[in-house]
């Protein structure tokens, strides 16, 4: 791949560590001088579960935030121009990499956290987050114009939220197209550069009250914790620009969580079904648009899902 210099290579590697639905990595980049163009890759979109590309653009937003954070480690400043472009509907953002000041301590901590952040699908310690940790994670989301609403074990609405998660999973399990799409990206071979290998899916919970997603290809059942913090990320609107905002806010929050040794896993099915997404919004009395439901807690450090190389995600230079 023809990139500007070794710093850009490192930024791309860091950006590609972003989380994405089913580890589809639905992004591609190109360069014109020091300007990076980030585009969504429709070949990696979940056409059935994500027909409008909401989760695809959330994933791309997470990539974009990683690029911003990694650029600061290189003493570069990422000047970002986000959607829209009426002539290129897949263009997520253009990023100018400009000389910047030496990174401060907080910026360095975030950039270092990129390599440590990983999704954990195993049981967590059975305790909610410490208050100061939760506040720091919420502040990170707010800095990206999103909100992170905690759903604590003591809240009566939590049972309703978990009931909606289980309902959405049951409906998806009855849909043969949804099942095929999930199985195409999970329980994948270890030599694949995308998807979630079977050994990283984790076991299924043996209790409907566990705050964790069930995968069709999970192996075995085990007890999961009941008292970890759940949280719902939301944005004021529900446009493609809001989805990119949600992705940046999600990754900023996850990187701050990582600095506190907090891991996350996600329950996306409840937000892929329009009915359960609406019901979740109603149950929590929200005016904002729900974008990502997660559990946050402390666990052993899991293995990382595979990633494509920078050569695989880059397309020829723009000029």
């Amino acid at each position: 791949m023809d990139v500007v210099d070794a710093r850009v290579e490192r930024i791309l590697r860091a950006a590609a560590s972003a989380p994405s639905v089913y580890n589809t990595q639905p992004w591609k980049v190109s360069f014109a001088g020091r300007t990076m163009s980030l585009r969504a890759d429709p070949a990696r979109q979940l056409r059935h579960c994500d027909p409008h590309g909401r989760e695809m653009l959330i994933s791309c937003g997470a990539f974009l935030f990683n690029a911003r954070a990694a650029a600061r480690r290189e003493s570069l400043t990422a000047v970002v121009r986000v959607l829209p472009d009426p002539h290129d509907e897949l263009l997520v953002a253009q990023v100018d990499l400009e000389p910047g000041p030496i990174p401060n301590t907080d910026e360095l901590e975030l950039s270092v956290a990129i390599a440590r952040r990983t999704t954990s699908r195993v049981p967590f310690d059975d305790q909610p987050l410490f208050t100061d940790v939760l506040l720091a994670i919420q502040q990170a989301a707010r800095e990206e114009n999103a909100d992170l609403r905690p759903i604590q074990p003591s809240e009566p609405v939590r049972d309703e939220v978990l009931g909606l998660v289980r309902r959405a999973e049951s409906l998806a399990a009855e849909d043969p197209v949804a099942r095929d799409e999930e199985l195409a990206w999970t329980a994948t071979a270890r030599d694949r550069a995308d998807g979630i290998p079977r050994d990283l899916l984790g076991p299924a919970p043996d209790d409907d009250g566990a705050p964790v997603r069930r995968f069709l290809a999970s192996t075995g059942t085990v007890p999961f914790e009941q008292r970890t913090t759940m949280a719902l990320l939301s944005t004021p609107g529900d446009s493609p620009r809001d989805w990119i905002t949600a992705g940046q806010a999600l990754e900023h929050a996850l990187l701050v969580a990582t600095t506190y040794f907090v891991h996350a896993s996600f329950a996306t099915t409840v937000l892929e079904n329009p009915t359960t997404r609406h019901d979740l919004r109603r149950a929590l009395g929200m005016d904002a648009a729900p974008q990502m439901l997660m559990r946050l807690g402390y666990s052993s450090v899991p293995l990382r899902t595979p990633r494509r190389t920078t050569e695989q995600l880059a397309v020829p230079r723009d000029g």
Side-chain angles (χ1 to χ4, degrees):
M1 178 183 59
D2 183 12
V3 296
V4 177
D5 56 28
R7 293 180 297 173
V8 174
E9 177 84 22
R10 291 192 291 269
I11 291 168
L12 283 183
R13 283 202 303 269
S17 296
S20 58
V21 57
Y22 290 158
N23 193 30
T24 49
Q25 304 169 52
W27 45 65
K28 53 186 175 181
V29 297
S30 59
F31 281 87
R34 288 187 175 271
T35 298
M36 179 181 78
S37 295
L38 169 62
R39 290 182 172 84
D41 185 349
R44 294 176 168 275
Q45 179 181 350
L46 302 177
R47 293 290 181 176
H48 183 72
C49 297
D50 186 32
H52 302 295
R54 184 184 64 86
E55 291 178 308
M56 177 176 68
L57 289 182
I58 289 175
S59 302
C60 289
F63 180 104
L64 181 58
F65 185 84
N66 270 5
R68 290 168 51 199
R72 291 301 304 122
R73 187 175 187 177
E74 304 291 342
S75 297
L76 296 171
T77 297
V79 180
V80 178
R81 299 185 299 280
V82 178
L83 285 169
D85 183 338
H87 305 295
D88 188 352
E89 63 181 15
L90 295 175
L91 182 64
V92 174
Q94 289 185 321
V95 183
D96 294 329
L97 298 172
E98 300 182 352
I102 295 173
N104 60 38
T105 301
D106 289 343
E107 290 171 330
L108 282 175
E109 282 191 348
L110 276 187
S111 65
V112 170
I114 291 172
R116 292 175 42 225
R117 186 219 62 81
T118 185
T119 302
S120 179
R121 302 176 185 87
V122 300
F124 289 174
D125 293 347
D126 196 21
Q127 65 179 77
L129 295 186
F130 298 119
T131 300
D132 60 332
V133 175
L134 178 58
L135 289 174
I137 297 171
Q138 288 179 289
Q139 178 58 31
R142 280 194 293 269
E143 289 177 11
E144 305 300 327
N145 300 311
D147 183 67
L148 193 69
R149 198 276 200 203
I151 307 168
Q152 298 290 19
S154 58
E155 294 187 67
V157 74
R158 182 170 166 122
D159 287 340
E160 186 173 357
V161 169
L162 289 171
L164 289 171
V165 170
R166 299 284 94 92
R167 179 184 169 203
E169 290 173 349
S170 296
L171 291 171
E174 295 170 1
D175 183 338
V177 180
R179 289 201 308 268
D180 288 346
E181 192 168 62
E182 177 178 332
L183 292 172
W185 289 98
T186 59
T188 53
R190 258 296 182 178
D191 58 356
R192 250 180 74 167
D194 53 15
I196 307 174
R198 183 181 294 276
D199 59 328
L200 296 189
L201 285 177
D206 65 358
D207 185 331
D208 284 346
V212 64
R213 176 181 181 158
R214 298 175 186 270
F215 287 95
L216 295 173
S218 295
T219 303
T221 60
V222 300
F224 271 73
E225 80 285 347
Q226 304 284 324
R227 300 180 62 251
T228 44
T229 298
M230 297 181 69
L232 183 67
L233 182 81
S234 64
T235 53
D238 203 22
S239 68
R241 181 182 287 271
D242 290 296
W243 303 338
I244 297 168
T245 292
Q248 294 194 82
L250 174 66
E251 185 66 346
H252 194 167
L254 293 177
L255 293 183
V256 169
T258 300
T259 68
Y260 289 97
F261 304 98
V262 170
H263 292 116
S265 68
F266 310 101
T268 57
T269 312
V270 69
L271 298 175
E272 292 165 353
N273 182 306
T275 300
T276 53
R277 189 179 187 222
H278 169 79
D279 290 346
L280 181 64
R281 186 175 184 173
R282 176 196 51 77
L284 294 172
M286 299 175 60
D287 292 327
Q291 304 294 359
M292 187 60 66
L293 181 66
M294 68 197 85
R295 82 197 233 268
L296 298 162
Y298 308 94
S299 75
S300 57
V301 179
L303 296 174
R304 297 175 62 85
T305 49
R307 289 296 187 276
R308 292 181 293 155
T309 65
T310 52
E311 287 77 11
Q312 291 172 312
L313 64 91
V315 296
R317 294 167 64 97
D318 291 339

